[in-house]
Amino acid sequence: MIAEFRLPDLGEGLTEAEVVQWLVAPGDSVALNQTLAEVETAKAVVELPSPYEGTVSTLHADAGETVAVGAPLIAFDIEGDDPREAPSGGEQDSSAEKAQPNLVGYGAAPTSSGRPARRARRRSVAPVASAADTAVLEAAPHDATPSVAVEPLLERPRSTPPVRAYAKRRGVDLVLVAAEVGDRVITRADVDAYAERIGAEPSRPAGTPERETTPMSGTLPRAEGRPRETRIPIRGVRKHTAAAMVQSAFTAPHVTVFHTVDVTATMEMLARLREDRTLAEHRIGPLAVVAKAACLALRRAPGLNARWDEESGEIVEYGFVDLGIAAATDRGLIVPMIRDAERMNLVELSAAIRALAETARAGKTSPAELAGGTFSLSNIGVFGVDAGTPILPPGQSGILAVGAVRRQPWEHRGEIALRQLMTLSLSFDHRLVDGAEGATFLKGVADILEDPGRAMLLS
C-alpha cells in the first residue's frame, strides 16, 4: 500500500519550508522515526522523522525546492491497509485503530507495535567496498580518493546542518571527509582542509542550486577567478528577517540614543571572577553583565519592556523579561530569547547566553525560542564595532546594541587616564517611549557597568 506523508505544520503558523537535503532515496527502507530530510523554515532548520516503517516510493520535492504546508512531501510503500481507513463493519483490528500520524511539534503515531531500534553508529568491517561506496568514489574528483582505506559508513556523517550546507556549496562529499577524520563531528575546518587538498571549487551539487552565478553580459570574470555578479535566492531565515525588519522600520518610529560608558570596574570584576576557581568554568563575559544590568534597569523604564497593540488600542507592559539575543548565523540574523531572564543571576545568564549562541550556530534553534521576546540585546562589539542604530524586532519597543570594549584616554577623578570604554546604542519605539524614559534606562545600565556594586541597591 502507498502512503503519502505531507509537510506538517512545523509551528508558529509557518506556511512553507525549503528542503535542505534528503537523507533517504527511493527504494530505501526506513524505520519508524528515522530522519527523512532536513527542511528550513523561516526560523530554523528542522529534521523530519518518518511516521511510517516501510520503503521509500517517491520523493515529491527536490533538495532546494520550497514546499507548502500540507503538500505531498514523500510517499512510502508500507505493509497492511491504509491506517486512515477503518473496516466497514465488525470490530476494528489493531492496525485500523491507528490514526493518520500528525507531526505537529514533531509527533508521530507509530505504525508498528515494535519499539524502533536506535541506529548504531558503526563501520562495516568488510574488506571490500560495496557498490554504493564505489559509486561515491567514482563520482568524486579523480584525485579525491583518500590516502586511507575508505570504510563504508552505515549512517550519514556526523555534522551540523550549517556544515552540511557549507560542504554542499564547496562541492565536498562528507562521506569522504568522514573517512579521513573518523567518527567525530565534522567541522568547517575539516571541509576546508579536504577541499583544498582535492582542489574543489566552491559550488553546489547539481539539482540543488543555492547561488546562481550570472556574469555580466559582454564581460569576463575578474582576474582572481571570481564572477563579477553573484545572485543569491532570498528565502528561508533571511527572507523572513528582511520582511520583519521592513515592517518594523516602517511601522515603529525609531529613535536611537548613545552613551559611552567607563566599564573599567566591570572588566576588573570579570577578571576577578575568572580567577575564582569556583566560577572559572562559567566564562562570564561583558554581555552577561549588560544583560543583567538591562533587566534591572527595565524596572524603572517599563515602556521599553512593552508592545504597542494597534488592534486593541492599548500599550501592553510586561511583568517579566524574555530577553532576545541577536545572533548572526550562516542562514541570516535570528533573535532567540531567554525566558524570564529577570529571574536569573549572572552565572545563569552567562550559561543561557552561551547555550543560545551554540544552538543558533548549529542551526538547531526551535521556532518556540524565536517568538515572544519583550526586549533585545545586539552584541555588535564582537565584530569590533563601537556603535550602531539597531532596528527593533517586531512587537518590541526597545533594543540595546553593545559596542566593543576599548582602552582609551578618559577623564577619571580629575585626570586623564587610560580607561576601558564601551558605547551603548539604544533604539526605541517613540510611540511608547519618550526621550526621558529612554535616557533613564540607558543611564541605569551605565551606572551598573561603571560601578557593579550599584546593583546591590536595586530591588
Side-chain angles (χ1 to χ4, degrees), residues 28-68:
D28 288 354
S29 296
V30 296
L32 182 67
N33 288 330
Q34 177 180 333
T35 303
L36 300 173
E38 290 176 347
V39 298
E40 181 179 5
T41 70
K43 295 187 175 182
V45 173
V46 178
E47 293 184 344
L48 289 181
S50 173
Y52 299 109
E53 181 178 314
T55 303
V56 177
S57 173
T58 307
L59 303 181
H60 291 295
D62 296 327
E65 186 175 340
T66 299
V67 181

Side-chain angles (χ1 to χ4, degrees), residues 108-139:
T111 57
S112 172
S113 58
R115 183 176 181 178
R118 183 179 180 85
R119 292 178 293 158
R121 190 180 300 280
R122 62 185 186 276
R123 298 178 182 272
S124 172
V125 296
V128 180
S130 66
D133 299 300
T134 303
V136 169
L137 292 175
E138 289 177 351

Side-chain angles (χ1 to χ4, degrees), residues 2 22 37 149 217 219 223 287 345 363 376 452:
I2 299 297
W22 285 105
S217 176
T219 62
L287 183 61
N345 59 35
S376 292

